[in-house]
Amino acid sequence: MKYRQLTKEQFESLHQEFALFLASQKIDVTEWNQIKKEQPKVAEDEMNVFSDVVWQNVITKTKYVDHFSETTVNLFKCDEEEIHRIAIKINWDINLLEQDGFEWLLKNPMDNSVDVFKGSKPYNSKRNIEVFDLIEKGGSISKGEVFDYFSQLVS
């Protein structure tokens, strides 16, 4: 597997797409139920292939990933050849995971207690593998509004 198998909830939300995937391999519902029962390894392999297809599609379209903790924010812009990062650290008792803390940061980005760093680098391995790794480590796919906001401030 290139990525990881989708969760049960993800499979349930992609039920229609998975059915079409199986149909493209000429596997109907009856046959699928039989495969799951009699050949669990084959069923697992089919689920893994489908998971990789879904992840590949999602990650290829991903342009921004945000990762928040209580005192830091890491914002990533994922271009084709390189990744751009804005790292923000708050140096006092504020929780960026709470709405009030995040709003404070947006209103006070140049406060003395806020350190902002910006950098870019080429990918160490394949783009999609690195973007997937950011997501697996707790990053969330975003539209890039926060990245763009801070990028303009530190330009």
Side-chain angles (χ1 to χ4, degrees):
M1 265 194 97
K2 191 172 182 179
Y3 301 107
R4 72 160 166 77
Q5 191 175 92
L6 297 171
T7 64
K8 181 181 179 190
E9 294 78 17
Q10 289 168 326
F11 268 109
E12 287 171 359
S13 70
L14 294 169
H15 175 78
Q16 288 293 119
E17 291 82 355
F18 187 57
L20 290 171
F21 171 78
L22 292 174
S24 73
Q25 298 182 56
K26 307 213 183 331
I27 300 172
D28 62 19
V29 174
T30 306
E31 188 176 355
W32 176 243
N33 288 331
Q34 184 178 352
I35 290 170
K36 287 193 303 186
K37 184 177 178 183
E38 297 172 7
Q39 299 174 296
K41 174 73 172 104
V42 172
E44 190 78 14
D45 290 346
E46 290 295 333
M47 293 169 70
N48 289 344
V49 170
F50 178 74
S51 294
D52 274 349
V53 168
V54 169
W55 279 116
Q56 185 71 22
N57 186 33
V58 168
I59 294 167
T60 297
K61 292 177 182 176
T62 297
K63 301 294 180 217
Y64 296 93
V65 176
D66 300 346
H67 187 277
F68 286 82
S69 73
E70 287 186 10
T71 59
T72 62
V73 180
N74 284 283
L75 307 167
F76 301 92
K77 181 178 180 186
C78 310
D79 288 341
E80 288 304 313
E81 300 298 323
E82 63 181 359
I83 189 162
H84 310 278
R85 177 182 178 196
I86 298 174
I88 304 162
K89 180 160 178 26
I90 307 298
N91 297 307
W92 68 285
D93 193 23
I94 190 166
N95 187 344
L96 296 172
L97 296 175
E98 295 175 355
Q99 187 68 29
D100 290 346
F102 179 68
E103 288 176 2
W104 178 90
L105 174 62
L106 292 179
K107 291 176 186 168
N108 302 283
M110 304 312 281
D111 189 271
N112 287 340
S113 64
V114 178
D115 294 327
V116 181
F117 308 95
K118 187 176 178 181
S120 298
K121 70 174 188 76
Y123 295 103
N124 291 326
S125 59
K126 294 189 182 209
R127 176 201 182 274
N128 284 10
I129 297 297
E130 288 193 41
V131 173
F132 179 75
D133 188 52
L134 291 173
I135 294 166
E136 286 295 281
K137 289 178 178 172
S140 300
I141 297 170
S142 77
K143 294 180 182 175
E145 295 102 334
V146 180
F147 182 96
D148 291 341
Y149 175 75
F150 280 96
S151 184
Q152 290 174 3
L153 288 176
V154 295
S155 303

